[in-house]
Amino acid sequence: MKKLLILIHFLVFSLLVKAQYEDYGFQRDLSIIVKDSLHNIMKNPWGGGMNSCQFSQIDLNGDGIPDLFIYDRNSSRILTFINNGTPDSVDYVYAPQYEGLFPPIQTNTWARCYDYNNDGKADFFTYNYGGIQAWENVTPPSGTLKFRLIANQILSVQDGNYTSVNVANCDWPAFVDLDGDGDMDILTYFNLVGPGCWLEYHKNMSKELYHNADSLTFVQQTYCWGSFCESLSGDHITLDTACPYSLTSVNPKNVNNIGNGVKHLGNTVLAAHFNGDSLYDLLMGDNGFPNLIELTNGGTPDSAFMISQDTMFPNYSVPLHLYSLPAPFLFDVNNDGIKDLIVSPNDPSQTNSEDLKSCWYYKNVGTNSKPIFQYQCNNFLQKDMIDIGSSSYPVLFDYNGDGLPDLFIGNFGAYDSSYYDWYMLNSTHRSKIALYQNVGTKNNPQFQFVTNDFANIYSRNISGVLPTFGDLYGNGHPVMIIGRTDGYLDLYTDTAASIYPLKMVLTDTEYMNIHVGYPADEPGPSSAPQLIDINGDSLLDLVIGQENGNLSYYQNIGTKTSPYFKLINDSLGGVNVTQHATSNYGYSIPCFFRDSTGKLRLFVGSQSGNLYYYKNIENNLLPGQKFTLVDSNYLYIYEGQYSSFAVGNLTNATYPDLIVGNYSGGLSFLKGVTPSLLGMDDYTPSYMDADIYPNPAYDKINISFPKNVSLETANISIYNSQGLCVLAMMQNTPATITIDVSSLTDGLYICTITGKDKQQGKELSLRNKFLVIH
């Protein structure tokens, strides 16, 4: 009861705050030109990078052309691309405006689009606590993309009991009409009991029971579809194997009493036609291995039986070699009407997979029933964007002395190699610093690639490199200090004769013996330094982010020509960005900057991907003193896990711009714009409150508008406390709108309604907060 009262008081206070403006406003800008090493304009430079991606098709803009939905499990981010549909051409344009319209996805799992009910609109399926969650695509004609939750867990009759179709978070099941009756069946690895080395088949009974495909009513047919078994310790496939389980020998209610073997988790499955017959063959990937295995079906439509295998698929072209757990995706990539093959890693480990060349594209020069996959490239879509591997740490600093901020990008590392230790896969990453020179003008930046290995960092074979720059010695020559995964810092000094352009050379390792953290199992920076005069004495101090989510403050107690750093506070400002409910680490990355009045402000990147914003920095530097936390998810800016931020006046002198890094290794550019009202969207010209009741809500909310508002249509989005859109819909607007929120978990939500007012003829935005308590 006390917790409920606290939440209600917080809600009431939030709703009473009127006419307060945010300190900053940001709007995504894809127009900033970036040129590659050949001076060609990159097509999608601000796409944010790609690592371990899951591909599926969905019509995003209602033009009848299948577009791309991509979920990068490494950074837990959605990417959406519009397909221009140019015949015989790969023609995709990054379109992030659709990303927030999809249902929430559990971190580092899987999600896909598939039209299960044959209505021409791809529906949405995602992992949900060991099972499959299903959302129907209910987008109205010419309307905004909209989904309706229809099943928290897809159930199947298994040994007489309705039980969730079991799918591991690291697996990729096959959704396919196996029996040709028009509805969606499921193939998934048998992980419910015993060793997960068998492929179980769940038949959809929608056509048999209801004579249509619009239901998800499953019955398990077998534990061992195809009569093959995969090795527990490797990717070896044994064909013609008798199934040790029968549908009457396994009761899912008593799974704790059956099977003592180690479960073999981590498999990807694609069921398709590969040899010209009507039987479904398989392409399969395995956790810890770089290859795909093709299994040929020599059975019957009613009884699959795998008779041969190709362990180096495709053996007639460039065989796939992609660590780890490659997942195959079949769709028409180049708009020629024939399905092609895309493969990307699906390994749940963020440190075991290729990251720079992780999207292999094979063009199908055969037919859909008998494909011939011809290798095209290993960096599909990646080659069109800034992508430096795993994690990107943007830093703005004038590299050549022309007064324009140039763009440096550190990283956790880029994939280097893999090896096995006691049958377990291990992979190494090596850091680099990329440099893009600003060759634009004061208010019109343009970035030209210079190098992907500034200061020859790669040769040192280290990881977790994040740079910071400043004139520590008062000689006009900036230095560069980098953090490392092991928690130490290194010093680089400028040896250029005329200062610019910078030429940094390693001068001191384990600089001043400063050490702030230890390498963890997670791929974040254990020392994330920033040089900043934080105490106003005209000397550059050091603030260092840590794996534990805190900030350490090292005051420069030296002179302008002889710096010396002393630890003052290892919990500066009370900053801690660790979300303990999901992780033991925070991986704070500080970005101090000054506002237009000269006051210090602080953005902090985090493992969660949220933007933490702090004020009241000055005079709060000693132990026990705290900065003011404005928001732990400022403006709902989320570009993926392991976020980092760079702030600078690149496009205008009034509002600072924001460059955001993430674990996918790419960047997003957010242009500074006029700040909006507190908690409101910044792109609409008018703002007011909607009335939401009951509040707290149990199973539904009602939304009513002010008397002077009459919207033509209402675009409604509901966001959870992590900034994820959990419900999106469009509705013609009566005086009151009712929305079912029974599927939402307990917590605080923000509802945003936008639309054109009939009387005023302009766009309006309404927003309010509400609680759900079941």
Side-chain angles (χ1 to χ4, degrees):
M1 186 64 183
K2 181 178 180 182
K3 180 179 178 182
L4 174 60
L5 289 174
I6 292 173
L7 286 171
I8 293 175
H9 283 306
F10 172 75
L11 174 66
V12 172
F13 175 78
S14 300
L15 296 177
L16 290 175
V17 176
K18 304 289 184 180
Q20 296 188 31
Y21 285 83
E22 302 281 5
D23 292 334
Y24 302 99
F26 299 105
Q27 179 176 296
R28 189 188 294 274
D29 191 340
L30 302 178
S31 69
I32 307 301
I33 291 175
V34 180
K35 295 185 178 181
D36 62 19
S37 60
L38 299 177
H39 294 259
N40 297 318
I41 295 177
M42 301 178 73
K43 189 172 183 179
N44 300 301
W46 306 106
M50 298 167 65
N51 280 9
S52 294
C53 294
Q54 301 159 2
F55 293 79
S56 51
Q57 288 186 305
I58 183 173
D59 185 2
L60 297 169
N61 57 358
D63 64 356
I65 301 173
D67 305 303
L68 272 185
F69 167 89
I70 301 172
Y71 177 65
D72 189 339
R73 69 176 304 155
N74 269 187
S75 59
S76 297
R77 60 188 292 260
I78 293 172
L79 298 89
T80 49
F81 287 81
I82 290 296
N83 180 6
N84 287 326
T86 307
D88 298 311
S89 177
V90 179
D91 190 6
Y92 296 94
V93 177
Y94 182 51
Q97 64 268 29
Y98 300 98
E99 294 170 357
L101 301 179
F102 285 88
I105 304 169
Q106 290 184 31
T107 300
N108 192 21
T109 56
W110 58 264
R112 74 197 309 165
C113 302
Y114 186 96
D115 181 11
Y116 82 91
N117 56 4
N118 297 329
D119 65 354
K121 296 182 292 187
D123 308 293
F124 189 76
F125 299 85
T126 185
Y127 172 85
N128 187 34
Y129 299 106
I132 304 172
Q133 187 179 76
W135 298 71
E136 183 185 3
N137 186 338
V138 291
T139 305
S142 302
T144 303
L145 199 65
K146 175 185 172 184
F147 296 95
R148 177 175 64 92
L149 180 65
I150 57 173
N152 261 319
Q153 297 267 341
I154 291 181
L155 303 179
S156 178
V157 177
Q158 304 175 57
D159 194 39
N161 300 284
Y162 273 103
T163 306
S164 174
V165 176
N166 181 251
V167 180
N169 67 349
C170 52
D171 281 2
W172 182 259
F175 289 5
V176 63
D177 180 13
L178 274 179
D179 54 4
D181 64 355
D183 53 24
M184 181 191 82
D185 306 307
I186 298 175
L187 291 174
T188 180
Y189 260 89
F190 179 26
N191 295 310
L192 188 60
V193 299
C197 55
W198 306 89
L199 195 62
E200 58 185 49
Y201 167 33
H202 296 267
K203 174 180 170 59
N204 193 344
M205 301 299 293
S206 182
K207 274 297 185 80
E208 287 79 0
L209 295 175
Y210 313 113
H211 308 293
N212 57 51
D214 63 2
S215 297
L216 297 171
T217 305
F218 291 90
V219 175
Q220 185 179 1
Q221 299 297 294
T222 177
Y223 281 104
C224 308
W225 188 84
S227 299
F228 69 92
C229 179
E230 184 170 355
S231 167
L232 286 176
S233 59
D235 64 342
H236 176 70
I237 300 291
T238 302
L239 303 177
D240 191 11
T241 304
C243 185
Y245 304 104
S246 68
L247 295 181
T248 58
S249 66
V250 178
N251 187 340
K253 287 187 174 181
N254 300 315
V255 296
N256 292 330
N257 300 322
I258 304 176
N260 297 317
V262 178
K263 295 181 180 180
H264 183 78
L265 299 180
N267 300 92
T268 60
V269 184
L270 170 66
H273 303 294
F274 292 124
N275 60 356
D277 62 19
S278 61
L279 301 178
Y280 277 96
D281 309 299
L282 296 180
L283 270 186
M284 302 169 51
D286 188 43
N287 191 20
F289 295 90
N291 57 305
L292 285 175
I293 298 177
E294 179 191 19
L295 295 183
T296 300
N297 189 351
T300 67
D302 296 326
S303 181
F305 187 79
M306 298 301 162
I307 60 174
S308 65
Q309 57 182 304
D310 174 8
T311 61
M312 295 300 294
F313 180 87
N315 59 21
Y316 49 82
S317 182
V318 177
L320 182 84
H321 190 85
L322 181 62
Y323 283 106
S324 158
L325 184 55
F329 311 98
L330 198 64
F331 60 93
D332 182 7
V333 173
N334 63 336
N335 301 298
D336 64 355
I338 303 174
K339 293 182 179 181
D340 309 293
L341 181 67
I342 298 289
V343 189
S344 189
N346 201 50
D347 195 320
S349 168
Q350 293 169 305
T351 57
N352 268 345
S353 295
E354 170 67 71
D355 44 24
L356 277 176
K357 301 174 181 179
S358 60
C359 296
W360 288 46
Y361 167 35
Y362 290 87
K363 179 182 178 181
N364 185 355
V365 297
T367 65
N368 284 328
S369 62
K370 194 173 183 179
I372 301 173
F373 295 117
Q374 188 177 82
Y375 173 82
Q376 303 295 303
C377 67
N378 56 16
N379 55 358
F380 174 66
L381 296 180
Q382 292 172 295
K383 63 181 181 296
D384 299 321
M385 63 179 70
I386 297 172
D387 192 341
I388 62 168
S390 293
S391 280
S392 49
Y393 312 135
V395 175
L396 291 169
F397 191 78
D398 188 359
Y399 154 76
N400 59 345
D402 63 358
L404 299 176
D406 302 301
L407 177 60
F408 293 84
I409 316 170
N411 69 350
F412 168 74
Y415 173 83
D416 181 65
S417 59
S418 294
Y419 62 94
Y420 294 95
D421 184 14
W422 290 97
Y423 304 103
M424 296 296 294
L425 177 69
N426 293 271
S427 298
T428 60
H429 288 69
R430 297 169 68 173
S431 278
K432 297 180 181 179
I433 297 176
L435 169 60
Y436 288 80
Q437 182 180 332
N438 187 347
V439 295
T441 61
K442 186 175 182 180
N443 293 323
N444 186 23
Q446 183 178 129
F447 294 100
Q448 169 64 58
F449 174 84
V450 176
T451 179
N452 66 354
D453 191 17
F454 180 74
N456 198 28
I457 299 290
Y458 183 76
S459 65
R460 296 190 56 201
N461 196 18
I462 57 177
S463 60
V465 168
L466 192 155
T468 183
F469 300 88
D471 184 1
L472 275 182
Y473 294 95
N475 58 4
H477 285 263
V479 304
M480 179 176 74
I481 294 177
I482 66 169
R484 301 183 343 205
T485 299
D486 60 8
Y488 286 100
L489 306 178
D490 294 334
L491 175 69
Y492 286 73
T493 54
D494 181 25
T495 61
S498 58
I499 302 180
Y500 297 107
L502 300 180
K503 185 179 180 181
M504 293 295 180
V505 174
L506 178 63
T507 304
D508 192 359
T509 60
E510 300 185 7
Y511 179 56
M512 291 193 183
N513 204 34
I514 295 172
H515 185 258
V516 298
Y518 297 90
D521 294 332
E522 305 289 335
S526 293
S527 54
Q530 183 180 6
L531 285 167
I532 179 76
D533 178 14
I534 197 171
N535 61 354
D537 64 357
S538 299
L539 298 178
L540 290 174
D541 308 297
L542 262 175
V543 178
I544 311 172
Q546 306 176 46
E547 64 177 357
N548 64 8
N550 294 351
L551 301 180
S552 290
Y553 165 40
Y554 285 78
Q555 182 182 345
N556 186 347
I557 61 173
T559 66
K560 287 188 177 182
T561 59
S562 181
Y564 186 81
F565 295 101
K566 178 183 178 181
L567 177 62
I568 301 299
N569 190 352
D570 63 0
S571 186
L572 178 64
V575 172
N576 191 306
V577 299
T578 303
Q579 295 189 359
H580 292 284
T582 57
S583 175
N584 294 322
Y585 308 105
Y587 290 108
S588 54
I589 302 180
C591 178
F592 287 94
F593 60 99
R594 296 190 181 275
D595 65 13
S596 58
T597 68
K599 290 186 177 181
L600 277 173
R601 297 288 186 257
L602 172 62
F603 287 164
V604 187
S606 61
Q607 183 191 41
S608 69
N610 290 356
L611 167 55
Y612 287 72
Y613 172 35
Y614 293 86
K615 297 198 301 189
N616 296 328
I617 311 298
E618 294 89 346
N619 303 317
N620 282 311
L621 307 178
L622 299 178
Q625 297 178 331
K626 293 186 177 182
F627 304 154
T628 299
L629 174 62
V630 179
D631 201 332
S632 61
N633 190 11
Y634 190 56
L635 298 178
Y636 306 107
I637 293 172
Y638 178 84
E639 299 296 326
Q641 287 191 308
Y642 295 91
S643 58
S644 59
F645 304 93
V647 176
N649 291 94
L650 294 165
T651 63
N652 64 87
T654 306
Y655 305 115
D657 305 301
L658 189 66
I659 298 179
V660 188
N662 65 76
Y663 191 76
S664 295
L667 300 177
S668 303
F669 191 98
L670 280 67
K671 181 180 179 179
V673 295
T674 304
S676 66
L677 283 172
L678 193 65
M680 307 289 284
D681 293 321
D682 57 31
Y683 56 84
T684 50
S686 300
Y687 312 94
M688 55 188 69
D689 287 340
D691 186 20
I692 298 178
Y693 61 92
N695 199 356
Y698 175 74
D699 58 352
K700 66 180 180 179
I701 58 171
N702 300 298
I703 304 172
S704 62
F705 304 106
K707 293 182 179 179
N708 61 337
V709 172
S710 178
L711 301 182
E712 294 178 356
T713 57
N715 295 300
I716 303 168
S717 299
I718 294 178
Y719 298 86
N720 64 15
S721 59
Q722 284 75 47
L724 294 175
C725 182
V726 296
L727 188 150
M729 59 184 294
M730 185 180 75
Q731 185 168 333
N732 294 327
T733 54
T736 301
I737 295 174
T738 300
I739 299 176
D740 183 358
V741 295
S742 60
S743 64
L744 301 182
T745 58
D746 290 2
L748 180 66
Y749 294 86
I750 293 180
C751 180
T752 298
I753 308 102
T754 60
K756 188 174 182 179
D757 187 76
K758 295 179 182 179
Q759 299 176 355
Q760 303 178 52
K762 62 181 180 180
E763 292 290 326
L764 297 180
S765 178
L766 304 95
R767 174 176 288 191
N768 239 330
K769 301 177 181 178
F770 67 94
L771 281 172
V772 171
I773 299 178
H774 295 299

